[in-house]
Amino acid sequence: MSTMASKQSNPLANIDWAYLEFYVGNAKQAAHYYCSAFGFNQVAYAGPETGTRDRASYVLEQNKLRFMLTSSLRDDDEISDHVRKHGDGIKDVAILVQDARAAYDAAVAAGAKSVLSPTESTDSTGRVIKATIATYGETVHSFIQRDGYTGVFLPGFIEARKSIEWTRKPNLSHVDHCVGNVGWGEMDPWGDFYARVFGFSQLVSFDDKDISTEYTALKSKVMTDERHRVKFPINEPAHGKKKSQIEEYLDFYRGPGVQHVAIATENIVETIDALKANGVEFMDTPDAYYDELEARVGKIDEAITVLRERRILVDRDDLGYMLQIFTKPLQDRPTVFFEIIQRKGSLSFGKGNFKALFVSIERDQEKRGTL
Ligand code: FE2
């Protein structure tokens, strides 16, 4: 009974992912890239033609995933400043809540900085309430309350459907977790922020002994909601022989921000084959990784040769195992990338794979001369 009471009293219980908003230099072209490469369909649009004078936004959809790509039409607003400073990146990790006013009030009372106080917008299909708070860097969280809203996305958007005929569909399902990179010594304060403001608890943490190679290091802590639906790992750099990949991100993004979004699939082998056929590039893994794989993770459903050919990584915990692979950065700056993940019971974030991953990341850092 006491858990029931605390669930009801926390307006950030029973939350889910709403959408990710990217601020980009050219939303029209970025929309085409995410549709053709990653299998999204365009569903909605807002811009000058719909009465939004200063920006253009394209909404893409795939199963439970929603991306919004926004570009400024001006030279001196918050969006163009953001793109000049950070390059293309994720501005808003928006969360679906039951009561946006209560979520916002509780967050602000717990010390979150307000970006937008609860704002109601309506059209003929209903009403949406949106409120926004700041998180690390210039990243924000919007709280979205849709009630019974039946419009295509949010009021102000028109239905604008466009889809591509893929020969193989990537079939990406939903966001599994969304990772933030923060500065030296900032992991614990931001972990505390998600505990205080969202009522999240800590799922796992790694230190630089877990996540380091000879050259690079990081610390990480995973904050989660009660249902393990919305998970926010927070990384900070750690000292290694050479520059940490988190530091490289912070240099190029000009501060903290979203490092990667892990997107779940029901069949990672089919998904990766489709994404590769569409031209998506993935991080490589040393061949030796597969020689030791079965000894490390035990018997799994997939043939090791199938995983080896595709460079898919595997990790195991006491609940099961998971398969994962990381894309190369999605823009020229080595900042945001995606992870594709299939969970088979496991709650792991791939601790056992960090070392294998870092060896391959460092190989690319070396090519860019930033190691
Ligand atoms: Fe991840």
Side-chain angles (χ1 to χ4, degrees), residues 177 179 233 260 262 324 326 339 349:
H177 58 273
V179 183
H260 76 264
Q324 65 179 171
F326 299 87
E339 170 185 347
F349 290 80

Side-chain angles (χ1 to χ4, degrees), residues 231-242:
K231 286 157 288 187
F232 293 137
I234 313 282
N235 295 333
E236 72 167 62
H239 291 285
K241 258 193 198 166
K242 291 191 181 172

Side-chain angles (χ1 to χ4, degrees), residues 92-112:
D92 190 353
V93 179
I95 302 296
L96 209 53
V97 300
Q98 317 285 322
D99 185 336
R101 282 194 184 88
Y104 171 88
D105 288 345
V108 170

